[in-house]
Amino acid sequence: MTSNIHNLTRSTDDVVIVGGGLAGLFCALKLSPRPVTLISAAPLGQGASSAWAQGGIAAAVADGDSPEAHAADTIAVGGGIVDEAIALGIAREAGLRVHDLLAYGVPFDRDLEGRLAVGREAAHSARRIVHVRGDGAGAAIIATLNEAVRRTPSIRLIEGFVAEALLTEDGSVTGLQLREAGNLAATPVMIASRTIVLATGGIGHLYAVTTNPTEANGSGLAIAARAGALIADPEFVQFHPTAIMTGRDPAPLATEALRGEGATLINADGERFMAPLHPLAELAPRDIVARGVFAEIAAGRGAFLDARQALGARFADKFPTVHASCIAAGIDPATQAIPIAPAVHYHMGGIAVDTRGRSSIDGLWAGGEVSSTGMHGANRLASNSLLEAVVYAARIAEDIAGQAIPSPARLPQALATPRAGALDASVVKRLRAMMSANVGVIRERDGLADAVRSFAALEHAATSIVVRNIATTALLVAASAWSRRESRGAHCRADHPAEVPALARRTMTTLAEAHDVADGLTEHSTPRIAQSMIA
């Protein structure tokens, strides 16, 4: 049921879940009938990256496949830093979670014999992706779970509010500071709870070109980091190699499943360019394909996805979402190649969590893209993100359900952050441009150093809490990218092009450590761009 937020600003023993995507919705449903308050920045279902997921859910449900093979594929593309036990555990739970979704009513595609139909995507050794009408899995799952949440009386739904600060006392959470989305002049509202789940999504809108919704701006990661949470692997940002370049923000996506069906990547001269770069050509791991596409564009040859032979007239029926995006831009993918470019798609990093989804702060769990479990390593395997989200949402719910209801927290006497200055859209635009230019597909020392100094200066000077939070997350990503002096998975350093075996480990860092990096870089240099960003 939908509730007025002002009824909930006193002490509450509810579990508070922040985020209306797959992880948040699934966790809330799994906790039923325990009282849950679910907070969503956008109207339910409209601000979640999971609703836009075109691939599906990876699960070894077909004959001849196995969780062990799924985990092996995950490990193979993860750049040597996948937590192998985590990957295997998630793969083994995949079938159970798919059947949970079926029980809620998700209409996964079936074959002629009534079994779950499975497709293949890049770097999977078998057909193991369960879809909904080709490219509609995310939207169908979110729509189904939205209905289930609205029917569940134990879930109190608050829409149109963002969490701008995490409240803590003696290393434990005590609540959240919220504000009406898009209204910095609104009076902040505090909600007290000792059991909080962050499921706020990724960081795509810190970059100029992304496939993510505008709500994916790293705010959940920022508020956890500002409260002292341990952050894992923030430098690893996955670029989807085939965003459709039509000038839209966010950029529409041409799902990887198109290449699974035989679509090829060509330049303006009609030449396939992936075959010389990797034995799997178009089905190589995403980081390799993204760099291949980036190189063609940088060389002035352009990059295109060509499904004319592989699909032709079948395109509209097989991939209706992609077809609609193309037609809206004046492109007929049945007869024309689709212009593409790499776009930020998924963040492997996030709030560090254990096998139960617990963060380093007592009473704080994290699930979905805002978290980092160790499953994805340096490069996520296609369609593993929705799987991880449902597996960890269920684990978090089970962990919380097994605990006694904590005594209600007390609200603090003062705001956690009194800042509420006007949002300067030009500052945000420049930050996004710098992230794309300096912390993008290809990175190097000087550009990263400029970014670190600039984001630290912006974070310090920002009068808007929104700008401060996005600067915090940008700083964490840039500082860790500057510190990892090698290329691994999605993290590519032009000045350190090789993997360094001694660095084959996950990054564990804090905001304080990112500030130390920035301080060290600022001692003998002034950021060249920082002043223009905050002027």
Side-chain angles (χ1 to χ4, degrees):
M1 64 179 179
T2 301
S3 180
N4 187 317
I5 191 167
H6 298 290
N7 295 335
L8 300 173
T9 55
R10 300 173 189 73
S11 297
T12 176
D13 56 12
D14 283 13
V15 177
V16 175
I17 300 174
V18 187
L22 178 56
L25 296 174
F26 199 75
C27 187
L29 290 166
K30 281 288 188 179
L31 277 164
S32 175
R34 181 161 177 172
V36 169
T37 296
L38 179 64
I39 299 165
S40 178
L44 207 58
Q46 293 185 21
S49 293
S50 37
W52 296 11
Q54 293 179 4
I57 295 182
V61 294
D63 292 343
D65 198 5
S66 69
E68 290 73 20
H70 182 182
D73 289 346
T74 299
I75 293 161
V77 305
I81 61 170
V82 169
D83 185 318
E84 298 187 8
I86 293 291
L88 182 58
I90 291 174
R92 285 175 171 165
E93 290 180 46
L96 291 172
R97 301 290 78 87
V98 167
H99 285 286
D100 280 345
L101 292 170
L102 285 167
Y104 284 122
V106 175
F108 288 120
D109 296 341
R110 304 275 187 170
D111 62 20
L112 294 176
E113 297 176 355
R115 296 173 299 195
L116 285 170
V118 288
R120 187 178 176 192
E121 292 180 4
H124 284 275
S125 60
R127 297 179 72 89
R128 67 166 67 97
I129 316 303
V130 290
H131 296 280
V132 178
R133 200 170 176 234
D135 58 6
I141 292 168
I142 293 299
T144 302
L145 297 187
N146 283 347
E147 293 179 13
V149 163
R150 293 189 188 278
R151 290 195 307 265
T152 304
S154 60
I155 301 173
R156 292 191 278 193
L157 177 61
I158 297 174
E159 298 169 285
F161 280 79
V162 294
E164 63 180 22
L166 190 66
L167 311 178
T168 61
E169 185 176 76
D170 300 326
S172 299
V173 298
T174 57
L176 289 161
Q177 182 171 304
L178 310 173
R179 196 185 300 265
E180 186 179 347
N183 185 4
L184 286 170
T187 301
V189 176
M190 286 183 284
I191 180 170
S193 176
R194 293 192 184 277
T195 308
I196 295 174
V197 180
L198 290 182
T200 51
I203 68 167
H205 263 263
L206 297 186
Y207 286 81
V209 182
T210 180
T211 62
N212 293 179
T214 55
E215 289 78 9
N217 62 5
S219 61
L221 181 58
I223 66 172
R226 299 193 70 81
L230 189 65
I231 306 300
D233 302 332
E235 67 269 36
F236 294 114
V237 180
Q238 185 173 75
F239 290 78
H240 197 291
T242 56
I244 304 170
M245 295 313 293
T246 62
R248 285 171 52 191
D249 181 23
L253 179 65
T255 174
E256 200 159 81
L258 284 158
R259 284 173 279 139
E261 293 293 327
T264 59
L265 296 175
I266 60 173
N267 58 28
D269 297 324
E271 300 166 339
R272 288 180 63 187
F273 54 82
M274 282 307 304
L277 301 180
H278 194 277
L280 292 176
E282 282 83 4
L283 293 179
R286 281 183 174 174
D287 60 317
I288 294 171
V289 180
R291 288 194 286 273
V293 172
F294 180 84
E296 291 299 305
I297 295 171
R301 293 186 290 269
F304 301 84
L305 180 70
D306 186 1
R308 291 173 292 185
Q309 279 193 317
L311 290 165
R314 296 184 299 121
F315 198 116
D317 185 61
K318 190 81 173 174
F319 297 98
T321 305
V322 183
H323 184 265
S325 294
C326 291
I327 294 299
I331 301 164
D332 180 358
T335 60
Q336 295 173 277
I338 305 166
I340 55 165
V344 172
H345 189 57
Y346 189 83
H347 191 206
M348 277 75 73
I351 302 165
V353 296
D354 66 11
T355 57
R356 297 168 293 184
R358 294 183 179 186
S359 76
S360 60
I361 299 176
D362 289 343
L364 179 68
W365 286 257
E369 195 173 348
V370 75
S371 70
S372 183
T373 66
M375 180 190 195
H376 305 303
N379 192 40
R380 176 182 67 101
L381 181 64
S383 290
N384 268 352
S385 52
L386 296 186
L387 171 62
E388 180 197 53
V390 290
V391 166
Y392 266 78
R395 289 184 182 184
I396 291 167
E398 183 179 8
D399 193 38
I400 291 173
Q403 300 186 17
I405 296 175
S407 58
R410 292 173 299 158
L411 288 167
Q413 297 300 310
L415 295 176
T417 171
R419 299 184 185 189
L423 176 63
D424 188 335
S426 65
V427 170
V428 176
K429 183 176 181 179
R430 288 193 290 271
L431 180 145
R432 295 180 71 191
M434 175 170 269
M435 283 292 283
S436 287
N438 294 21
V439 201
V441 177
I442 307 292
R443 305 160 174 183
E444 53 80 30
R445 182 189 63 186
D446 291 344
L448 288 169
D450 262 355
V452 169
R453 292 190 293 260
S454 297
F455 299 151
L458 180 58
E459 182 195 41
H460 178 74
T463 57
S464 160
I465 184 61
V466 174
V467 171
R468 189 179 74 167
N469 279 339
I470 65 173
T472 292
T473 300
L475 173 61
L476 282 160
V477 175
S480 291
W482 185 87
S483 298
R484 184 174 284 276
R485 295 170 194 177
E486 64 160 354
S487 291
R488 183 177 296 276
H491 172 67
C492 180
R493 288 279 299 257
D495 52 334
H496 295 283
E499 281 190 6
V500 177
L503 298 180
R505 58 180 181 271
R506 298 180 67 199
T507 296
M508 293 292 168
T509 191
T510 63
L511 181 56
E513 290 173 351
H515 286 152
D516 287 344
V517 171
D519 291 344
L521 288 170
T522 305
E523 281 181 6
H524 305 292
S525 179
T526 301
R528 290 181 293 186
I529 305 177
Q531 295 306 314
S532 66
M533 290 182 69
I534 63 179

